[in-house]
Amino acid sequence: MKKIQIPRKRNRSAEAVVIGGGMVGVATAYYLSKTGMEVICLEMRDALAGLTSSASMEAFRLQFTDPDLFELCKQSLEVLLDFPQALGLDELDLSVHQPGYLFITGDEDKTPELRSAFDQYIRLGLDGVEHLDQPEILARFPFVSPEVKAANYRQGDGWLSFHEAVMGFVKAGSARYFLNTRAQDLVIEHGALKGVVTDRGRIDCSLVVNSAGPFAGRVAEMAGLKLPVKLMRRQKTFIRSGSVPQNAPFVVDVGNQSYWRPEVGGGLAGWVNHAEPFSEPMENPYGDWDFAAVVLDKVSRLSPFWLRVAEGLRKQDVSITAGQYVYTPDGLPLIGPVDEPSGLYLNCGYGEGMMLCAGAAQRLAGLAGGELKNGSNPFRPGRFSAEALKNAAASFSPKASITLS
């Protein structure tokens, strides 16, 4: 594909440069190109979306309690769930599955949390969401343990093929994608961006979007900025087994923050370990050798069939991958222009890139093109005061969980 290439070393020019070729960066490049801009997207690895994006669960949901995050995800899913028509690629198939997201608890003290979240979903206008009691849960989801107390469920949620989505954005837009190309510095003159220095030459431009995911902080440092972000490794495991119910939804145990979903040939499982230390950006995040055993113990608490899976498990039936989530003090993304230098925009600061990418990229393109005003943008990078950032640095903890945001 001519749009994806490893460029020779020489100077180039474009109207906009997107740094980072993950799901968010590719979507950003697409929507900027749809405004008529000449766009180049830089990816330091030898393939697009091969770092954090490839380690995702490829899932989407509208069960968010934060109004701004809910609206952003809603905007994004309007594109992803109608992807061929939205991008004009009739032959594209994202393999969309919508068996739902099921949030369950076996803890009495978590039941009010689920009920409160459900009430907020209703206030936000979320359709199709249900709050279930124990008898209904067991009747509809027989793989769940009788210890379950309550659940929230929405069948419209599910998962899709992120690889096909990435390639769709590439095919449908006019942006060019440079692989094995690292941004090394930003060219700034009199407070304005003039270009990007890469290891393959300089690219003259007046607009740069930092969509570098876990590496967004380092890109920002090229402009003398320190982003209010922290990184935390997130692992997942694929377990080959014929015992995983393939018609099951995405299941989350809100008590221990474990989750799983069916996948062809078995299932995917993960766990949000808030004891995981913050880390520096990693080009090759690694998975712990014992992660699968820990996760199986977690998910089997309320989905006991996993105990049977574990009994006959062999080493070759397990694979572990890892990526990094990016957290901000308020759990919301950084989308929009920075105060200085002019021409530098952010689209980073979140881990839900799969489900938010289209909406976030649309907003970024609207802000860059002047169609949207940054003053009313709830994700504007300048929303944190100096005092707030100082306090956040002293007591930074990941606010976002897989249940509530």
Side-chain angles (χ1 to χ4, degrees), residues 65-228:
T65 56
D66 182 90
D68 297 318
L69 206 54
F70 170 76
E71 289 298 330
L72 183 65
C73 194
K74 183 179 178 182
Q75 180 183 3
S76 191
L77 293 185
E78 286 174 356
V79 174
L80 292 175
L81 296 183
D82 193 28
F83 205 65
Q85 288 69 37
L87 272 68
L89 297 172
D90 293 338
E91 76 283 2
L92 194 66
D93 182 7
L94 296 192
S95 299
V96 176
H97 292 76
Q98 292 179 281
Y101 251 76
L102 179 69
F103 293 102
I104 55 179
T105 184
D107 306 312
E108 290 286 0
D109 61 349
K110 289 290 183 180
T111 299
E113 179 182 340
L114 281 174
R115 181 70 210 196
S116 177
F118 172 77
D119 292 341
Q120 175 67 351
Y121 301 151
I122 298 303
R123 285 191 291 269
L124 292 174
L126 178 58
D127 61 351
V129 66
E130 305 172 76
H131 183 70
L132 308 177
D133 59 15
Q134 184 196 51
E136 190 163 11
I137 298 167
L138 297 178
R140 293 169 63 175
F141 307 103
F143 54 82
V144 174
S145 167
E147 295 181 10
V148 70
K149 298 295 189 297
N152 287 344
Y153 174 67
R154 181 176 183 271
Q155 185 169 348
D157 299 333
W159 53 88
L160 52 81
S161 170
F162 92 91
H163 177 76
E164 293 301 320
V166 168
M167 290 299 103
F169 282 127
V170 172
K171 293 176 182 178
S174 60
R176 290 179 291 163
Y177 298 84
F178 289 179
L179 304 182
N180 289 328
T181 307
R182 292 175 180 268
Q184 296 180 322
D185 204 359
L186 300 178
V187 182
I188 302 170
E189 297 177 6
H190 307 294
L193 264 171
K194 297 297 181 182
V196 179
V197 177
T198 81
D199 58 353
R200 296 183 180 275
R202 170 172 164 166
I203 304 174
D204 293 324
C205 63
S206 58
L207 190 152
V208 172
V209 182
N210 179 355
S211 293
F215 288 85
R218 291 189 178 175
V219 172
E221 289 173 359
M222 299 175 188
L225 302 176
K226 184 172 179 58
L227 297 187

Side-chain angles (χ1 to χ4, degrees), residues 100 112 259 353:
Y259 48 91

Side-chain angles (χ1 to χ4, degrees), residues 23-24 27 53 56 59 76 80 325 350-358 360:
M23 276 292 301
V24 174
S53 298
S56 78
S76 191
L80 292 175
Y325 259 53
Y350 51 108
E352 303 90 352
M354 174 71 243
M355 63 185 87
L356 299 180
C357 64

Side-chain angles (χ1 to χ4, degrees), residues 158-346:
W159 53 88
L160 52 81
S161 170
F162 92 91
H163 177 76
E164 293 301 320
V166 168
M167 290 299 103
F169 282 127
V170 172
K171 293 176 182 178
S174 60
R176 290 179 291 163
Y177 298 84
F178 289 179
L179 304 182
N180 289 328
T181 307
R182 292 175 180 268
Q184 296 180 322
D185 204 359
L186 300 178
V187 182
I188 302 170
E189 297 177 6
H190 307 294
L193 264 171
K194 297 297 181 182
V196 179
V197 177
T198 81
D199 58 353
R200 296 183 180 275
R202 170 172 164 166
I203 304 174
D204 293 324
C205 63
S206 58
L207 190 152
V208 172
V209 182
N210 179 355
S211 293
F215 288 85
R218 291 189 178 175
V219 172
E221 289 173 359
M222 299 175 188
L225 302 176
K226 184 172 179 58
L227 297 187
V229 298
K230 295 285 187 179
L231 310 181
M232 183 177 288
R233 185 181 55 156
R234 186 78 71 83
Q235 303 178 68
K236 75 171 182 183
T237 181
F238 171 72
I239 298 174
R240 185 178 293 105
S241 171
S243 299
V244 180
Q246 292 296 296
N247 62 345
F250 193 114
V251 181
V252 182
D253 182 339
V254 301
N256 64 21
Q257 290 284 283
S258 65
Y259 48 91
W260 66 271
R261 72 165 177 86
E263 179 61 283
V264 176
L268 295 173
W271 168 48
V272 182
N273 178 12
H274 289 301
E276 177 84 25
F278 291 126
S279 55
E280 293 297 312
M282 294 184 283
E283 291 194 30
N284 297 290
Y286 58 89
D288 295 332
W289 67 270
D290 61 345
F291 181 75
V294 174
V295 167
L296 283 169
D297 178 64
K298 299 284 185 183
V299 296
S300 64
R301 185 176 80 143
L302 292 180
S303 299
F305 75 86
W306 283 108
L307 292 174
R308 299 193 302 274
V309 172
E311 288 174 358
L313 208 57
R314 300 169 300 172
K315 184 177 181 180
Q316 58 265 37
D317 295 329
V318 177
S319 62
I320 300 170
T321 54
Q324 288 180 292
Y325 259 53
V326 186
Y327 293 98
T328 60
D330 59 6
L332 299 179
L334 301 170
I335 304 172
V338 303
D339 294 333
E340 192 176 336
S342 63
L344 178 58
Y345 287 72
L346 305 181

Side-chain angles (χ1 to χ4, degrees), residues 55-66:
S56 78
M57 295 288 281
E58 301 183 272
F60 60 85
R61 61 186 166 100
L62 270 176
Q63 294 182 70
F64 284 99
T65 56
D66 182 90

